[in-house]
Amino acid sequence: MKFLKQSLSLLLSFCLVLATAPGGFAAQADQSAAQEPVQAAQQTPGQLQQLVAPIALYPDALVAQILAAATFPDQIVEADRWLQQHPDLKGKQLGKEVDKQPWDPSVKALVEFPSVLANMDKNLSWTSSLGDAYVNQQQDIMNAVQLMRDRAEKAGNLKSTSQEKVSNQGQNIVIEPADPEVVYVPEYDPWLVYGAPIGIWPGWYSYPGLYLGVPGIAFGFGFGIGFFGGFGWGWHHWGYDWHHHGIVFDHHSYISHSRVFINRNNVNRAGGFHGANGFHGGGARGFAGGQHGLGAPHAQAGIHSGAFSGFNHGGVARGFSARGQSSFGGGFHGGGGFHGGGGGRR
């Protein structure tokens, strides 16, 4: 009888193990899967060309500032809205107030170009995808810039003018201001200027003052940068090292400390983006709630990554607070005033 009881006890214990084991194994498998990095898809060369098309023909230093600042999309929104709230700040006074802000130097530098800053805010989906691509595909994105410049040159739309100097350094095309103290931001249709038409970025909003509705390039007013020369984030601190495919800031390689995007080359990190709760300041409050025009994220064709790639700023961003001060022809804030373009279309 004692032996029978022991046998039954062992049998019941064995059955219990069999009944609970699948759940335990499943939980262990789920835990292992959760620890695996989630790898977001890389942008294809064609997608990268489409991504850089709106800025590829800008002067090198401005391209560097835009790519660096794109890794801080939350600060882009904050800076643009801050600028809207301070329309009376001009020249050195504007520079001093910007210098006090906790933004990355690249974001501060873009305050010199309010239309560029506002365009990045309006097209936040594109901006975040640009920042993500710079973090994860830096060499590829700069190859795309050079390829698009080559296409524009062959189409007859990129050449030296009284506003900018276009030159070749080896196999690279370099664009610099003709006058080192005055920067002109070219106006062009990014989907037509490169010869054969390319696909429009999903939800793209053509910002006034940066867009030209016909093939070719035009120049409006120049941005005088003299008033910002004394600040450590100003124009002359930026450049691009085409040989090493890297941004140069203050004579050193620029390293973004943004917590928004994951560097997917680091194998022990999860996908997505860091710092989802890291948005701060008045501008960031615009992300809270549907009443501000930002709906729930949804997939868009051709966009594989980017913290804000789900937000369609082609339409809803136009519902943000009025941006007349930073649109072309409105109350520009750039230091040093503006200089007549005189360049016309070509």
Side-chain angles (χ1 to χ4, degrees):
M1 181 63 68
K2 183 178 179 180
F3 175 77
L4 181 60
K5 289 181 179 180
Q6 291 177 343
S7 299
L8 287 173
S9 177
L10 289 173
L11 180 61
L12 289 173
S13 299
F14 181 70
C15 292
L16 183 61
V17 169
L18 289 179
T20 58
F25 293 152
Q28 185 176 4
D30 290 343
Q31 185 178 5
S32 298
Q35 294 175 351
E36 288 294 325
V38 179
Q39 296 294 328
Q42 296 281 87
Q43 301 269 17
T44 67
Q47 289 167 337
L48 289 174
Q49 293 163 27
Q50 183 187 33
L51 186 60
V52 303
I55 63 168
L57 305 185
Y58 288 5
D60 288 3
L62 185 55
V63 173
Q65 292 172 16
I66 291 172
L67 287 174
T71 65
F72 298 90
D74 55 325
Q75 294 184 16
I76 289 291
V77 174
E78 186 175 345
D80 184 42
R81 296 182 183 182
W82 181 91
L83 197 57
Q84 302 296 324
Q85 296 166 5
H86 298 84
D88 297 328
L89 292 177
K90 310 283 184 182
K92 288 185 178 180
Q93 185 183 9
L94 174 63
K96 289 179 180 179
E97 292 303 317
V98 169
D99 196 49
K100 298 175 184 178
Q101 304 306 314
W103 307 327
D104 186 77
S106 60
V107 178
K108 293 180 179 180
L110 286 181
V111 175
E112 298 183 74
F113 308 96
S115 56
V116 175
L117 180 66
N119 176 62
M120 295 178 73
D121 184 3
K122 288 281 191 181
N123 291 294
L124 199 58
S125 166
W126 167 79
T127 298
S128 70
S129 295
L130 192 68
D132 181 83
Y134 178 74
V135 169
N136 289 286
Q137 297 176 261
Q138 181 174 318
Q139 184 165 343
D140 293 339
I141 204 168
M142 296 320 300
N143 287 340
V145 168
Q146 285 297 329
L147 187 146
M148 299 309 283
R149 288 182 175 184
D150 181 67
R151 287 181 56 176
E153 190 175 55
K154 289 178 178 177
N157 292 325
L158 182 62
K159 61 187 73 172
S160 293
T161 67
S162 58
Q163 293 83 20
E164 65 181 20
K165 175 184 176 183
V166 179
S167 61
N168 292 85
Q169 294 183 4
Q171 297 181 344
N172 297 310
I173 298 175
V174 175
I175 303 177
E176 302 169 297
D179 181 341
E181 296 301 321
V182 184
V183 179
Y184 292 88
V185 180
E187 305 168 41
Y188 59 89
D189 186 328
W191 324 117
L192 294 178
V193 75
Y194 299 103
I198 62 176
I200 299 175
W201 184 262
W204 178 260
Y205 171 66
S206 299
Y207 195 83
L210 299 178
Y211 176 79
L212 189 65
V214 296
I217 299 178
F219 295 92
F221 293 101
F223 293 82
I225 58 175
F227 285 147
F228 295 91
F231 300 101
W233 40 264
W235 173 266
H236 295 296
H237 291 269
W238 294 91
Y240 208 90
D241 182 352
W242 292 107
H243 180 68
H244 295 98
H245 289 261
I247 293 173
V248 175
F249 172 63
D250 205 19
H251 305 292
H252 299 285
S253 296
Y254 172 84
I255 298 176
S256 174
H257 296 289
S258 172
R259 292 174 54 83
V260 176
F261 300 103
I262 279 291
N263 184 336
R264 293 186 292 273
N265 294 321
N266 294 343
V267 296
N268 291 324
R269 296 206 177 173
F273 60 95
H274 276 306
N277 298 320
F279 302 127
H280 53 82
R285 287 194 291 270
F287 291 106
Q291 68 271 23
H292 294 279
L294 295 177
H298 61 275
Q300 289 187 18
I303 301 178
H304 291 271
S305 57
F308 300 99
S309 60
F311 297 116
N312 181 358
H313 282 261
V316 296
R318 278 170 281 184
F320 284 175
S321 58
R323 288 187 168 83
Q325 294 93 339
S326 60
S327 63
F328 193 77
F332 281 97
H333 306 278
F338 294 92
H339 304 258
R345 298 175 182 175
R346 70 172 193 265

